[in-house]
Amino acid sequence: MVSAVFHSSVADSPAAKPANAPIRTHAAAAATVRVKPARAPIDWRGWGLTLLAPVFGVAMLLGIWGLATVNSTSFPTPGATWEAAVKLFADPFYRNGPNDQGIGWNVLYSLERVGMGFGLAAAVGIPVGFLIGRFAIVNRMFSPIVSLLRPVSPLAWLPIGLLVFKAANPAAIWTIFICSIWPMIINTAVGVQRVPQDYLNVARVLNLSEWKVITKILLPSVLPYMLTGVRLSVGTAWLVIVAAEMLTGGVGIGFWVWDEWNNLNVQHILIAIFVIGIVGLLLEQVLIFIAKRFSYAE
């Protein structure tokens, strides 16, 4: 009996098991249990800075505005402006004739002109920027012209457009074109010039065509600079169209502001200022989103 028990205990001991037999321990069993990652704590301070800070800034602006106009008889208060905005946006797309249309139609007409002028500027400015940055002879030819014409005031180009096109609408589009083309030319050219020379040396060794150099090497490297120029250009175009429409008349947010001034409707002028700012902000945010989507950075 003792012998049987001895043999049984020896057979069950770890030393008696084959060398390749798996030994299951409590540590190995515990390792197979999945541990849920700890949830990151909520950054209340970050949320506060993101949400509360802008709200506090707007509230401070309205407070200063209200205090400054509390006893004013000529400048409207925030409350009066809000009441006028509610009535104005109750029907923003009404039409009572060619020169009496809602603010919605005026904004759309202005955006149409901006889109046409800005599109023409992009179609011309980006290729010219590539040429200036790529070829030294083109750079020497066009750099003095760009440096001379870029600082010219936007409204100085409007009489030239009226003289050439004999109409207000193409003159406004021309003004947007000539004023928004310079940021795209300059930023695209700078981006091309900052492409590492090693990339171009490799392209020369591989005997790549100029088209492949542009599409495979230059374009991915220049894209962030080019989109920065596009952002600056669309901001300039939106600024210019308001001033141009004030002078040319017709339909547009700039003409609408001037028409409301002639009617001494200051409340509508303040509303138009906010609308112009919001539309410009939305245009910039759309371009920032596009820039992030097409960014090659990790």
Side-chain angles (χ1 to χ4, degrees):
M1 181 68 66
V2 174
S3 176
V5 173
F6 176 77
H7 288 296
S8 176
S9 62
V10 171
D12 293 337
S13 64
K17 292 183 179 182
N20 59 351
I23 301 175
R24 187 174 184 83
T25 63
H26 292 289
T32 60
V33 179
R34 292 184 178 180
V35 180
K36 293 183 178 180
R39 181 177 295 178
I42 299 176
D43 186 8
W44 294 110
R45 185 173 181 273
W47 277 101
L49 291 175
T50 304
L51 298 178
L52 297 181
V55 172
F56 179 77
V58 174
M60 184 175 64
L61 173 63
L62 294 177
I64 296 173
W65 180 7
L67 290 175
T69 59
V70 64
N71 295 322
S72 177
T73 57
S74 59
F75 203 89
T77 63
T81 305
W82 173 258
E83 292 176 1
V86 171
K87 295 179 182 178
L88 184 65
F89 288 103
D91 187 13
F93 291 99
Y94 75 87
R95 274 181 173 168
N96 293 329
N99 294 326
D100 185 11
Q101 303 186 31
I103 189 173
W105 291 117
N106 286 279
V107 171
L108 290 179
Y109 279 115
S110 296
L111 287 174
E112 181 183 2
R113 294 189 183 101
V114 168
M116 295 178 66
F118 174 77
L120 291 173
V124 176
I126 292 176
V128 170
F130 267 98
L131 293 175
I132 292 176
R134 183 77 175 104
F135 303 105
I137 182 64
V138 180
N139 186 9
R140 293 190 180 97
M141 288 173 57
F142 283 93
S143 289
I145 299 175
V146 174
S147 300
L148 176 66
L149 298 181
R150 183 177 61 86
V152 176
S153 173
L155 296 183
W157 294 102
L158 186 59
I160 304 299
L162 292 172
L163 176 64
V164 173
F165 298 105
K166 310 295 183 182
N169 191 52
I173 295 173
W174 150 258
T175 306
I176 295 169
F177 164 80
I178 199 64
C179 294
S180 60
I181 194 174
W182 310 121
M184 284 187 277
I185 290 178
I186 294 172
N187 282 272
T188 303
V190 170
V192 173
Q193 291 170 352
R194 291 188 178 181
V195 173
Q197 187 61 37
D198 293 340
Y199 295 175
L200 302 178
N201 293 337
V202 171
R204 191 177 297 109
V205 170
L206 296 177
N207 199 22
L208 296 181
S209 63
E210 188 64 28
W211 175 252
K212 286 189 175 181
V213 171
I214 293 175
T215 56
K216 301 298 183 181
I217 297 177
L218 295 182
L219 184 59
S221 301
V222 176
L223 194 57
Y225 296 90
M226 187 173 66
L227 292 176
T228 300
V230 169
R231 284 177 53 196
L232 296 174
S233 295
V234 77
T236 302
W238 186 241
L239 289 174
V240 169
I241 190 60
V242 175
E245 288 174 346
M246 284 184 178
L247 298 179
T248 58
V251 182
I253 190 63
F255 170 75
W256 191 82
V257 170
W258 190 250
D259 189 52
E260 294 302 315
W261 166 248
N262 291 330
N263 296 327
L264 297 179
N265 196 338
V266 184
Q267 296 172 352
H268 284 185
I269 295 175
L270 294 175
I271 295 169
I273 290 173
F274 282 103
V275 170
I276 292 168
I278 291 171
V279 172
L281 179 62
L282 291 177
L283 290 175
E284 183 178 2
Q285 292 300 316
V286 168
L287 291 175
I288 289 175
F289 174 77
I290 294 174
K292 291 180 179 179
R293 292 281 295 177
F294 288 93
S295 177
Y296 285 82
E298 293 295 337

